[in-house]
């Protein structure tokens, strides 16, 4: 099965499913992830990246990553976050991002806070946390987690400004808005989100997703 067939099958099963945990949906998620793992370079300039980003980010919100923490020896949560994140960011870069998808991008960032925080440390040799890693000292993840929250809040403010807000996101917004000045002060989009996007892009161009296991 090629990635187009796998994507269409996965989306069809997701639409018919209550919780994405039925056997048909689980099997179609496996098929889609298998296509991504076997040929990640296919994601570069993929024709249906809007649909693919939504399908992959939806996986992060369901039971699948808990039931299958690895698939084909690849960390599922990290894979799903990295690839869907790349797809959303690429749509933003190329001007193909549809405003109706701000809530789904926000949802990816909310459920993938820890993944984003880990990636911006592990892929940046100049991240301040790297000193503690090298010295064997305990790592304080507060800075990277604040960057993840700041990016999430940044997207929320953008969605509100553009008029594509969903009330289901309000609780998450209320948890962050009181700390807005602190969370946005470090410019998480410019200093963290864009560089991570470029790193992931380079790996995908090399047809490699094994970096998500690091």
């Amino acid at each position: 099965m090629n990635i187009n067939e796998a994507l269409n099958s996965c989306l069809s099963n997701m639409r018919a499913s209550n919780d994405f945990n039925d056997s048909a949906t689980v099997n179609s998620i496996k098929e889609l992830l298998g296509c991504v793992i076997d040929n990640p370079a296919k994601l570069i300039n993929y024709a249906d990246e809007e649909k693919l980003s939504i399908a992959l980010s939806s996986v992060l919100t369901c039971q699948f990553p808990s039931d299958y923490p690895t698939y084909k020896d690849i960390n599922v949560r990290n894979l799903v976050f990295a690839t869907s994140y790349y797809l959303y960011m690429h749509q933003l870069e190329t001007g193909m991002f549809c405003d109706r998808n701000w809530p789904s991008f926000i949802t990816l960032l909310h459920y993938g806070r820890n993944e984003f925080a880990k990636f911006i440390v592990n892929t940046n040799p100049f991240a301040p946390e790297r000193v503690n890693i090298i010295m064997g000292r305990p790592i304080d993840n507060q800075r990277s987690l604040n960057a993840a929250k700041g990016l999430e809040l940044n997207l929320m403010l953008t969605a509100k400004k553009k008029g594509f807000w969903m009330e289901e996101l309000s609780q998450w917004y209320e948890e962050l808005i009181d700390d807005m000045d602190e969370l946005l002060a470090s410019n998480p989009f410019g200093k963290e989100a864009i560089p991570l996007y470029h790193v992931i892009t380079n790996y995908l161009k090399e047809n490699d997703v094994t970096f998500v296991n690091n």
Side-chain angles (χ1 to χ4, degrees), residues 88-153:
Y88 283 121
M89 290 292 288
H90 185 254
Q91 291 168 76
L92 284 175
E93 181 184 42
T94 58
M96 298 302 291
F97 187 91
C98 296
D99 284 335
R100 63 176 176 262
N101 292 328
W102 285 113
S104 58
F105 195 7
I106 291 166
T107 299
L108 173 71
L109 264 296
H110 184 81
Y111 281 92
R113 277 183 189 173
N114 289 330
E115 284 67 36
F116 181 85
K118 288 185 295 184
F119 274 125
I120 64 173
V121 172
N122 293 339
T123 62
N124 180 7
F126 302 107
E129 295 86 355
R130 302 286 288 183
V131 174
N132 286 346
I133 295 174
I134 294 170
M135 300 300 292
R137 296 195 294 256
I139 301 169
D140 183 355
N141 294 322
Q142 194 58 55
R143 183 201 70 88
S144 57
L145 281 172
N146 279 348
K149 292 177 182 179
L151 178 57
E152 182 182 338
L153 180 58

Side-chain angles (χ1 to χ4, degrees), residues 9-18 20 25 29 54-55 58-59:
S9 174
C10 190
L11 286 172
S12 177
N13 285 319
M14 283 179 167
R15 291 188 193 102
S17 177
N18 291 325
F20 302 168
T25 306
I29 291 173
I54 291 171
S58 296
V59 175

Side-chain angles (χ1 to χ4, degrees), residues 3 18-20 32 44 63 74 80 95 116 122 125 138 150 164 188 202:
I3 191 169
N18 291 325
D19 58 5
F20 302 168
L32 181 60
I44 301 296
Q63 184 67 25
I74 297 293
V80 168
F116 181 85
N122 293 339
F164 286 84
N202 290 336

